[in-house]
Amino acid sequence: MLEGSFLSHLVELRIRMIRILGALLIGFLPCAFYARELYTLLAQPLLEKLPQGGQMIATDVATPFFVPMQVAMMMAFVLTLPHTLYQIWAFVAPGLYSHEKRLALPLVIGSSFLFFCGMAFAYFAALPVVFEFITYFAPEGVAVMTDISKYLSFVLSMFIAFGVTFEVPVFVIVLVRTGVITVEKLKEVRPYVIVGAFVIAAIFTPPDVVSQFMLAVPLCLLYELGIFIAAFMIKKQQPEGEDPADAAKQKDIPAKTD
């Protein structure tokens, strides 16, 4: 019986993976057709900050082909991210309680939207500041010519850092709703979260104070937003006048049967 259940889970996982990869391939085809334009758009924050005579270069023979294709794949991943998150949730949902399943649609929509917001913030706000800082400190007589593959790696790391940072409210809400941690405990560890935010920012951003603040400050604010939303959701579910601590204890007590 256990072996049959395990095999059924493997079959379900295979189906979900095929759907994710199929959607990714469908999204990649039109993006590949506009791969050059997509890379030019991606490189715009740096191109606008380059000094006169500065340009981007390709040091490997196949780089001018593969790098735009990687950008097209990245765009396809972004476009199909809501579908990917839904497939992941659909796989784990059968093992969850009914009240946890009701979080599916809000989590998929919220996670996708916040990740897009993080990438947009990195592209429109953080990257121009970072490149302004880098090009400003270039020594006199040094031509700034960035390799396109290294630029792509740098931008991807920034997108991931800011995208994951903007998911903080979702992580906080899930932790509270699943009973892993309480709102009161989240408030208690706030000082450690602030310190951790600046440590993370120092690791994933260039060594300038401005870009570190641009990652750390949103992380702290989004953490507070997650606490606020989680507390509001819990308060909304409780009957008027009920103590939150008592409500939390009652959820852990199984119902008695005659």
Side-chain angles (χ1 to χ4, degrees), residues 28-46:
F28 171 75
L29 294 177
C31 292
F33 185 77
Y34 295 99
R36 294 197 308 173
E37 290 80 3
L38 289 174
Y39 186 85
T40 301
L41 182 64
L42 184 67
Q44 204 62 34
L46 176 60

Side-chain angles (χ1 to χ4, degrees), residues 64-79:
F65 170 78
F66 283 112
V67 170
M69 289 297 107
Q70 292 173 3
V71 175
M73 181 60 71
M74 182 187 72
M75 181 59 67
F77 170 78
V78 171
L79 292 176

